[in-house]
Amino acid sequence: MPKKRRNGGRSRHGRGKTCLVNCGKCQCNPPKDKAVARFKTKNLVDQGVMNDMKAASVYGNDYELPKIYEKSYHCISCAVHSRIVRVRNREARRIRAPPRRFRRPAERRDGPGARPGADKKPTTA
């Protein structure tokens, strides 16, 4: 019988069992090595309230509001349904490299966390 995936849809190489986690959508219990894990970072307040707080603050721009960090797990069916992961054809399933990450254009990287001189190309001598 042919195999569909090299790892069988799991990443538990050498382990007999892995613990179960709760799916963030349907509350089923997929194994931790089979579930799709995503790390979500959100601001504590929305952008409009954040601007009002910075305007009324005596600290100015020196104080950063805390963020909410949440790691969520999804079963495969919920991850496909909510488009967290996509279905790939047979040739694309063989590609094990992670997809390219989205990068902002260079002219928009001048926000509060921008590195000075990051958008300049190095000169060769």
Side-chain angles (χ1 to χ4, degrees):
M1 186 113 184
K3 282 180 71 173
K4 191 171 185 181
R5 288 174 187 84
R6 177 179 166 181
N7 59 3
R10 300 184 67 158
S11 64
R12 74 177 162 89
H13 304 287
R15 289 184 291 275
K17 278 194 171 184
T18 55
C19 61
L20 303 177
V21 294
N22 286 331
C23 173
K25 300 267 184 196
C26 68
Q27 298 303 316
C28 71
N29 293 324
K32 186 176 181 179
D33 60 325
K34 189 172 191 173
V36 177
R38 290 293 180 261
F39 200 71
K40 191 184 299 183
T41 306
K42 293 191 296 187
N43 288 324
L44 198 58
V45 293
D46 63 345
Q47 191 66 36
V49 175
M50 191 180 303
N51 291 337
D52 293 342
M53 290 175 69
K54 282 188 178 182
S57 175
V58 295
Y59 296 112
N61 290 334
D62 295 338
Y63 181 70
E64 288 282 332
L65 283 173
K67 293 179 181 281
I68 297 173
Y69 300 99
E70 175 191 0
K71 186 169 188 179
S72 60
Y73 293 97
H74 302 282
C75 64
I76 298 297
S77 59
C78 288
V80 170
H81 180 72
S82 58
R83 297 189 184 116
I84 296 171
V85 294
R86 302 288 173 122
V87 177
R88 299 188 293 173
N89 61 13
R90 182 177 293 184
E91 290 81 25
R93 245 183 263 142
R94 304 292 182 249
I95 301 171
R96 295 172 62 86
R100 289 190 48 165
R101 300 186 82 177
F102 175 73
R103 302 294 300 225
R104 289 190 295 167
E107 63 269 4
R108 293 183 54 210
R109 286 191 200 153
D110 54 356
R115 294 190 319 259
D119 55 346
K120 296 177 185 171
K121 293 184 179 179
T123 58
T124 56

